[in-house]
Amino acid sequence: MFANLLSLLKYRGLIQTLVARDLKARYRGSVLGFFWSFFNPLLLMAVYTFVFTVIMPGAHPADIQPYGLFFFCGILPWTWFSSSLTESANVLISGGNLIKKVLFPAEVLPIVSVLANLAHFMLGLPILAALLLYYQRPLDPLELLWFPVIIVVQFFFTTGIAFLLAALTVHFRDIKDILANMLTLWFFSTPIIYSIQMAPESYRWVLNLNPMTHLAISYQEVLFHVGPHGHWKWLLALGAGSIVVFLAGYFVFDRLRDSFAEEV
Amino acid sequence: MKNAIDAVNVTKVYRKYARKKQFATLKSALLSGSLVSELQPDETFEALRGVSFSVPKGCTYGVVGRNGSGKSTLLKCVAGITRPTTGTVTVDGRISALIELGAGFHPEISGRENVFINGIMLGLSKKEIQKRFDEIVEFAELKDFIDAPVKTYSSGMYMRLGFAVAIHVDPEVLLVDEVLAVGDQGFTVKCLDKFAEFRRRNKTILLVTHSLDLVEKFCDQALWLDKGKTHGEGDPKLVVTAYIVDVEKSEEQQLAKEEAARVAAAQGDTDTPPPATADEPHNPVETAEAPADMFKATEGRWGTREVEVTAVTIADAAGTPAHVFHTGDPLTVHIKFRAHHPTRDFVFGLGIFNGDGVCCYGTNTNIDELEPDRMSGDGEVRFVIDRLDLVEGTYKFDVAAHKLDGYPYDYHRQLYTIRVKDRRKDVGIYRPPHRWEVTGDVTFRAPGSGFRRGADDETA
């Protein structure tokens, strides 16, 4: 397993090329091009902002003002997470030709999904920056050093789950449908449209069990809230946990690897 | 010399899942608590059973065998796409597999970008592809279309580009699975030249093909797989000959079986006459009517059976019943008859039809000026052909006994089939014995040198 894992480094060039291909091919022939990669987060932001500032203005405390910016800090990484998983669940089946017909390292495919969506996430950052400028929220450069760390943690966590989903979907096609519903549930159990402080004390432990909670809070701490990044202990613990998730996901993937060519 | 490919005792077992489990869902697996057992196969299928072979470096190795004999599975095991269930395959050197051409192409992006991506998938670096790019495009004959999205390509263009990329990977070991049918004649020649060049540069080629000519002319060694087992290995000429004999043998059995079924069916036809003719059961002639269109190639049997053709066998020179012949072989049609009453009015006839229903030849004893004298009881007439000069194909025989005026005793329409085999690819129906003569400054090379010639031209 670890030998295989190491060989991933060998496929750097391949991964890079495939990510580039993915990005190029996705919006080929569309008029607005890569704008579509953050259209959805922007739309969600507009909708939720309207709901929470116009329809129920009293529903959120003052510490998450401006609401649009707060929401955008959470929805952008969430979009990365959820679309990575949705794509990974399907990636071995849609890439069946590669697995069946040519000598191709299958683990590259889920990684490419996660990385391509990371690229979309990155493309959304200028919009976030524009929002920060508009609302005149200066960033603390020291605090910003945490930003890449959060991304790395999220990358390993997402990729681990992506491996697991990709491998299992080959055998159980209905994982795709389960996943769509799970992600909706997961979205609402993550403090993105609300802040963790708004959740009743008695339920907070449930939210704390959700790894995405700590990622979302970390993004909000770094990008939105003023003051030092107070959530770093949680983040580092999650970092260790996500390495475990990554290895576990890869382990399952590696074990089922031989069945892919026959089952896809 | 060191071996490029070593396969030791390779067995590949595929799983077969029962029908109900083909649509297995996670839900059902969890509900019945059978998550683990669902992943277990119900039945297995052995695609390869203990196949061992080794290919020395620089050798061109052919694999022949019928459909489903495990050739492609073997190639996949060598390529590393699937792992053998037991046994080992070791390959020394970079592999390029021409199994599925252009498998990694993305339809939305241009041919140019796809060449790079495909090249990287096959293990080249960007720089190496850059260096070979023009050559690849040149080879694929796609200069004008290389910047168009691959989805606009025709299937031929798609395959050519796939082939061009794969062959320019510059592998040590090239695996080829029946991919020579990717282009027009010109492109095929180019591919063969490329293979010849590989041979000259002492690369190893593993070739899986149904083209036996290619194996004979091109390979240094050959392996014959049959139902997943090695059935023969060694000199390609010997292996191919043995393989052809085996194929003909099973073809023979197949034809014999079909013929028996046909004759039995035709027998059944006359036992229960169709309702249209049942109106006048007392007139023996009318009860079994000839088809309205005598030239329509439908199988069947009719006639009064006053003279009955009881058995027809087509036999080779030694008198053994056979269904597979080679162009130029002798052939005898044995017609056993029984005359239920002595008669002085009889003609035996025979017709040969090809697969398209075209009458290749037809004659009878009357045409051949044999005056009927008398006939009674059992007997046999033989139609003897000294040289069967028909080109390759399937032929059907009509055999008939009738009166001089055509009144049918027993008419067997296209019930007997033979297959004529010929490795020469001449066309038409009839192959007259012939030769070519020339005068003037014209010379021909000895047969079999065609491949080398193309290769030599390239180095010149």
Side-chain angles (χ1 to χ4, degrees):
Chain A
M1 171 181 163
F2 286 101
N4 283 339
L5 205 51
L6 272 182
S7 68
L8 271 180
L9 290 176
K10 216 173 54 195
Y11 300 128
R12 279 191 319 268
L14 178 61
I15 293 175
Q16 203 184 337
T17 320
L18 287 177
V19 170
R21 179 186 83 167
D22 234 43
L23 296 180
K24 261 184 218 160
R26 180 171 306 185
Y27 300 120
R28 188 66 48 107
S30 67
V31 181
L32 293 177
F34 75 100
F35 169 76
W36 289 111
S37 45
F38 37 78
F39 178 75
N40 187 255
L42 276 178
L43 178 71
L44 286 175
M45 182 184 87
V47 170
Y48 279 103
T49 309
F50 181 76
V51 168
F52 284 109
T53 56
V54 180
I55 297 182
M56 354 192 261
H60 58 86
D63 68 324
I64 56 170
Q65 289 287 9
Y67 181 75
L69 181 62
F70 172 82
F71 179 75
F72 203 70
C73 292
I75 193 68
L76 208 54
W78 173 263
T79 307
W80 171 25
F81 177 72
S82 67
S83 18
S84 295
L85 295 194
T86 312
E87 266 173 48
S88 302
N90 204 26
V91 81
L92 290 187
I93 294 160
S94 61
N97 237 353
L98 287 177
I99 292 164
K100 265 193 290 196
K101 308 289 170 110
V102 288
L103 184 53
F104 188 84
E107 60 265 54
V108 162
L109 291 175
I111 294 179
V112 166
S113 300
V114 177
L115 285 179
N117 282 296
L118 171 62
H120 290 299
F121 170 72
M122 295 293 193
L123 288 172
L125 291 180
I127 296 193
L128 182 68
L131 285 173
L132 285 168
L133 276 177
Y134 176 77
Y135 289 115
Q136 298 185 343
R137 308 278 289 215
L139 290 172
D140 180 356
L142 264 180
E143 221 182 11
L144 211 55
L145 285 178
W146 281 103
F147 188 62
V149 179
I150 311 172
I151 290 180
V152 169
V153 172
Q154 189 179 345
F155 172 76
F156 279 103
F157 179 68
T158 312
T159 312
I161 299 178
F163 278 141
L164 189 72
L165 287 173
L168 288 180
T169 310
V170 171
H171 290 277
F172 303 105
R173 302 289 159 113
D174 53 356
I175 283 188
K176 269 184 283 184
D177 305 297
I178 298 174
L179 180 69
N181 294 301
M182 282 294 294
L183 281 174
T184 309
L185 203 62
W186 204 335
F187 174 72
F188 287 104
S189 11
T190 307
I192 295 168
I193 56 170
Y194 53 88
S195 72
I196 184 90
Q197 282 77 24
M198 289 163 70
E201 204 67 59
S202 51
Y203 282 105
R204 222 170 271 178
W205 65 273
V206 183
L207 293 181
N208 275 333
L209 281 179
N210 171 11
M212 285 310 286
T213 300
H214 306 294
L215 284 170
I217 292 176
S218 297
Y219 283 108
Q220 289 156 2
E221 288 271 355
V222 169
L223 299 170
F224 183 81
H225 293 300
V226 227
H229 178 30
H231 210 67
W232 62 274
K233 279 183 188 154
W234 279 99
L235 181 67
L236 291 186
L238 182 62
S242 60
I243 297 287
V244 173
V245 170
F246 178 83
L247 290 177
Y250 190 78
F251 175 75
V252 173
F253 192 92
D254 202 44
R255 283 296 294 273
L256 290 175
R257 175 194 304 273
D258 288 344
S259 64
F260 295 157
E262 287 155 39
E263 295 290 329
V264 161
Chain B
M1 209 189 295
K2 235 185 124 203
N3 285 335
I5 304 170
D6 263 313
V8 183
N9 219 357
V10 174
T11 298
K12 177 74 192 177
V13 180
Y14 281 114
R15 316 167 198 195
K16 267 172 156 175
Y17 289 90
R19 191 148 190 82
K20 65 179 168 77
K21 293 196 181 161
Q22 263 176 10
F23 305 102
T25 60
L26 185 60
K27 187 200 77 192
S28 69
L30 289 174
L31 282 183
S32 57
S34 60
L35 189 56
V36 180
S37 67
E38 291 267 308
L39 291 171
Q40 299 298 314
D42 298 312
E43 243 184 291
T44 54
F45 168 73
E46 286 189 311
L48 290 173
R49 312 177 200 193
V51 174
S52 299
F53 68 98
S54 49
V55 184
K57 274 216 165 103
C59 174
T60 303
Y61 197 88
V63 181
V64 297
R66 264 172 258 177
N67 289 337
S69 59
K71 301 186 297 293
S72 295
T73 305
L74 184 68
L75 210 60
K76 280 186 182 178
C77 285
V78 174
I81 296 168
T82 50
R83 228 171 280 176
T85 314
T86 59
T88 55
V89 181
T90 32
V91 181
D92 186 30
R94 170 146 73 177
I95 305 178
S96 180
L98 297 178
I99 295 180
E100 189 78 355
L101 297 169
F105 285 170
H106 195 295
E108 292 289 340
I109 62 181
S110 72
R112 179 185 299 277
E113 285 163 301
N114 267 311
V115 167
F116 278 90
I117 293 165
N118 211 234
I120 285 169
M121 277 183 196
L122 296 173
L124 288 177
S125 70
K126 259 203 173 114
K127 232 185 231 157
E128 285 173 299
I129 302 167
Q130 194 72 57
K131 221 166 58 196
R132 290 167 208 185
F133 186 78
D134 291 336
E135 214 180 318
I136 292 174
V137 176
E138 185 68 35
F139 191 87
E141 303 166 10
L142 286 174
K143 219 173 187 140
D144 299 334
F145 303 99
I146 196 65
D147 285 311
V150 163
K151 68 175 174 187
T152 63
Y153 285 18
S154 73
S155 56
M157 290 158 82
Y158 195 89
M159 300 286 243
R160 288 207 306 271
L161 192 61
F163 188 92
V165 177
I167 200 113
H168 282 89
V169 167
D170 196 24
E172 301 297 315
V173 178
L174 185 69
L175 310 177
V176 186
D177 188 2
E178 204 68 84
V179 289
L180 281 174
V182 296
D184 53 18
Q185 292 284 306
F187 191 74
T188 308
V189 168
K190 245 164 67 175
C191 297
L192 290 174
D193 285 352
K194 199 77 196 173
F195 286 161
E197 187 196 317
F198 266 79
R199 274 166 63 96
R200 234 181 19 253
R201 284 164 46 202
N202 215 23
K203 310 275 183 173
T204 312
I205 304 176
L206 184 65
L207 179 72
V208 167
T209 180
H210 285 289
S211 165
L212 301 174
D213 288 333
L214 205 61
V215 173
E216 269 190 354
K217 286 182 192 158
F218 204 54
C219 294
D220 304 310
Q221 278 189 66
L223 174 75
W224 167 18
L225 280 184
D226 189 54
K227 298 195 186 89
K229 281 192 190 139
T230 307
H231 214 277
E233 198 195 349
D235 179 69
K237 284 220 159 53
L238 296 178
V239 170
V240 166
T241 312
Y243 173 61
I244 289 174
V245 168
D246 186 73
V247 167
E248 283 175 4
K249 211 158 66 191
S250 67
E251 238 175 298
E252 170 82 44
Q253 284 163 1
Q254 182 70 24
L255 287 173
K257 217 169 81 190
E258 281 171 18
E259 185 173 291
R262 238 186 348 260
V263 172
Q267 193 82 43
D269 283 352
T270 41
D271 285 351
T272 47
T277 57
D279 295 332
E280 299 167 80
H282 302 298
N283 188 334
V285 184
E286 307 263 322
T287 51
E289 215 169 332
D293 182 3
M294 281 295 281
F295 296 97
K296 217 176 136 207
T298 42
E299 300 153 1
R301 183 177 177 183
W302 64 88
T304 62
R305 308 276 175 93
E306 287 159 74
V307 175
E308 191 177 345
V309 173
T310 51
V312 176
T313 10
I314 299 173
D316 60 12
T320 325
H323 295 86
V324 178
F325 292 87
H326 294 95
T327 301
D329 279 355
L331 175 152
T332 305
V333 184
H334 297 258
I335 306 165
K336 282 206 165 64
F337 66 84
R338 173 175 297 157
H340 292 287
H341 331 283
T343 174
R344 290 180 168 276
D345 187 356
F346 59 89
V347 176
F348 287 98
L350 186 130
I352 304 173
F353 295 80
N354 74 359
D356 302 329
V358 174
C359 178
C360 308
Y361 187 68
T363 188
N364 62 33
T365 48
N366 188 37
I367 295 170
D368 286 340
E369 298 181 335
L370 295 167
E371 288 281 328
D373 189 17
R374 51 176 196 82
M375 166 168 77
S376 66
D378 289 336
E380 186 184 87
V381 202
R382 285 180 295 277
F383 182 73
V384 182
I385 303 174
D386 292 327
R387 280 185 61 92
L388 184 68
D389 285 314
L390 292 170
V391 302
E392 186 167 76
T394 304
Y395 295 89
K396 291 186 168 180
F397 281 65
D398 276 13
V399 173
H402 51 86
K403 282 191 183 175
L404 284 166
D405 63 3
Y407 172 94
Y409 288 134
D410 197 354
Y411 218 106
H412 293 207
R413 181 104 221 213
Q414 307 214 337
L415 294 184
Y416 309 99
T417 307
I418 61 162
R419 192 158 294 162
V420 176
K421 293 257 165 189
D422 194 1
R423 310 259 335 251
R424 294 166 296 213
K425 296 294 165 218
D426 43 6
V427 296
I429 296 168
Y430 172 50
R431 181 175 211 280
H434 63 268
R435 65 181 178 278
W436 294 87
E437 289 177 350
V438 291
T439 44
D441 188 16
V442 187
T443 53
F444 292 97
R445 294 211 192 188
S449 58
F451 286 105
R452 312 292 154 84
R453 192 202 62 221
D456 291 346
D457 284 351
E458 204 170 279
T459 40

